[in-house]
Amino acid sequence: MLPQNAMLILYWSHVLYGRGMRVERLTGVLGAMVHVDDVKVLTDSQLDSLREIACEHEVIIIPNQSLAPLEQVDFSHRLGPAAESPFIEPSPDHPEVIKVLKEAKDGNAFNFGGAWHSDFSFQPAPPSFTVLHALDIPPYGGDTLWSSMTAAYNALSDAYKEQFSHVAAIHTARDAYSPKMQAIHSGLSSMNIVCDETANDTEIHPLITTHPETEKLVLFFNRAYVRDLMGVADEIEKLRLMDWLHLHTTDAKFTVRHKWSNGDLAIWDNRSTQHYALNDYAGFRRELHRTTVAGTRPLQ
Ligand code: SIN
């Protein structure tokens, strides 16, 4: 048993006053709570610090915030211009805001974000950050999980690091938003998800990318949108590798799970994480507002 002083030191060593903000790590791998009075009034230099903290911890949760849709848009713009959000009809009054909403009456309908993915990785330049503000959280369930693709890269064997540096991933929204998927989205009475043929387009990104801000190497994979690999000749080996990559990148040891409270504002880095919204709150309403920030083309 450690003496009480040593235990206190251990506790406080994960609560860091990084760059003037109280940053509390959530796991040994990714995720942090950042304590800020009001994100709406951050100075430019505080905002720069928050961005650095978000890149470093890959997902941050800022509790007790209150942003009207336009205020969330303004906050997101401070991280960068808005990203294009295809297939999902935005809020009519605020075209940059997506209401992530499942009504109590929608029961067990498939939820938005209910599969491991990195936002819109099928685009030529997928979003850098997503900002999600919790407004109406069910009494239980509806947690979100994130996994670190940086940690997943670091844990690869040298042989896989070498092999994957010659592999590219083919990203497409085909199995999420092409017309054959329309029925699956129609169970959400308050979200209008419009599937169309453009979902069959493909985009090629390196399997190993370099994060443009931290310069860390990332295993840039997600099973929702990566439907093929280039640089693996054998078809059976290709399927085996895609299944392996999914299991590896979403291994529990690379994840953090957040139980939302109303007022939480999450910012995650799509260049280094995947996420997954759990759908275990049938009979309750869940509403969060989402904005996305434009990114750049992923590079090796
Ligand atoms: C999303 O994938 O953007 C939604 C995440 C969530 O609802 O928790």
Side-chain angles (χ1 to χ4, degrees):
M1 179 78 177
L2 285 169
Q4 207 178 4
N5 280 355
M7 283 169 65
L8 266 177
I9 290 167
L10 267 180
Y11 172 73
W12 282 107
S13 68
H14 82 272
V15 180
L16 306 170
Y17 285 83
R19 307 166 192 88
M21 290 171 198
R22 187 154 71 87
V23 179
E24 209 175 335
R25 292 187 67 153
L26 295 173
T27 74
V29 177
L30 82 163
M33 283 282 213
V34 180
H35 299 274
V36 159
D37 285 345
D38 183 352
V39 294
K40 298 193 290 291
V41 296
L42 291 177
T43 63
D44 286 347
S45 93
Q46 285 172 321
L47 206 277
D48 289 347
S49 299
L50 193 73
R51 182 188 189 101
E52 265 180 49
I53 294 167
C55 287
E56 184 179 328
H57 294 278
E58 304 186 326
V59 50
I60 60 174
I61 311 289
I62 310 166
N64 301 317
Q65 301 299 305
S66 171
L67 288 87
L70 209 49
E71 291 170 330
Q72 183 172 338
V73 168
D74 287 345
F75 173 74
S76 284
H77 284 176
R78 296 187 72 197
L79 294 168
E84 196 193 321
S85 293
F87 311 119
I88 303 133
E89 202 106 299
S91 162
D93 302 328
H94 305 285
E96 290 178 24
V97 177
I98 290 175
K99 278 190 187 188
V100 177
L101 173 55
K102 186 161 165 258
E103 299 284 5
K105 68 177 180 206
D106 296 342
N108 278 316
F110 181 74
N111 63 325
F112 180 72
W116 281 106
H117 66 287
S118 172
D119 286 334
F120 302 148
S121 72
F122 51 83
Q123 294 179 322
S128 51
F129 299 103
T130 298
V131 178
L132 194 63
H133 188 25
L135 298 176
D136 188 12
I137 293 302
Y140 57 79
D143 298 358
T144 304
L145 284 82
W146 289 265
S147 74
S148 168
M149 297 193 281
T150 319
Y153 171 80
N154 290 335
L156 290 177
S157 65
D158 287 346
Y160 265 162
K161 282 182 183 165
E162 161 58 18
Q163 181 186 354
F164 294 163
S165 69
H166 305 289
V167 174
I170 303 184
H171 295 243
T172 172
R174 180 186 72 206
D175 294 323
Y177 296 118
S178 69
K180 68 177 181 186
M181 302 306 291
Q182 188 63 65
I184 205 173
H185 298 297
S186 301
L188 292 181
S189 57
S190 299
M191 281 187 83
N192 192 15
I193 298 180
V194 185
C195 295
D196 69 51
E197 295 292 348
T198 63
N200 292 312
D201 294 351
T202 56
E203 198 58 53
I204 300 170
H205 296 310
L207 183 55
I208 295 179
T209 54
T210 304
H211 190 287
E213 298 187 57
T214 64
E215 296 182 357
K216 289 181 185 163
L217 293 175
V218 173
L219 186 53
F220 190 63
F221 179 87
N222 71 87
R223 197 67 179 100
Y225 301 136
V226 175
R227 309 306 293 171
D228 205 351
L229 298 175
M230 282 168 74
V232 182
D234 185 83
E235 288 300 318
I236 294 181
E237 173 61 0
K238 203 189 273 187
L239 290 175
R240 188 198 70 78
L241 262 185
M242 284 196 286
D243 285 346
W244 186 86
L245 283 163
H246 171 64
L247 291 175
H248 176 70
T249 55
T250 59
D251 190 312
K253 64 178 180 270
F254 307 133
T255 66
V256 62
R257 174 174 175 156
H258 181 59
K259 174 164 179 49
W260 295 94
S261 297
N262 290 344
D264 285 347
L265 187 78
I267 305 173
W268 66 82
D269 191 331
N270 287 295
R271 300 160 298 184
S272 57
T273 60
Q274 294 177 42
H275 57 282
Y276 174 40
L278 288 170
N279 193 15
D280 54 353
Y281 53 96
F284 292 106
R285 189 176 190 276
R286 181 179 186 271
E287 179 176 0
L288 305 94
H289 285 179
R290 179 175 124 153
T291 43
T292 40
V293 180
T296 51
R297 180 172 265 288
L299 296 176
Q300 186 144 14

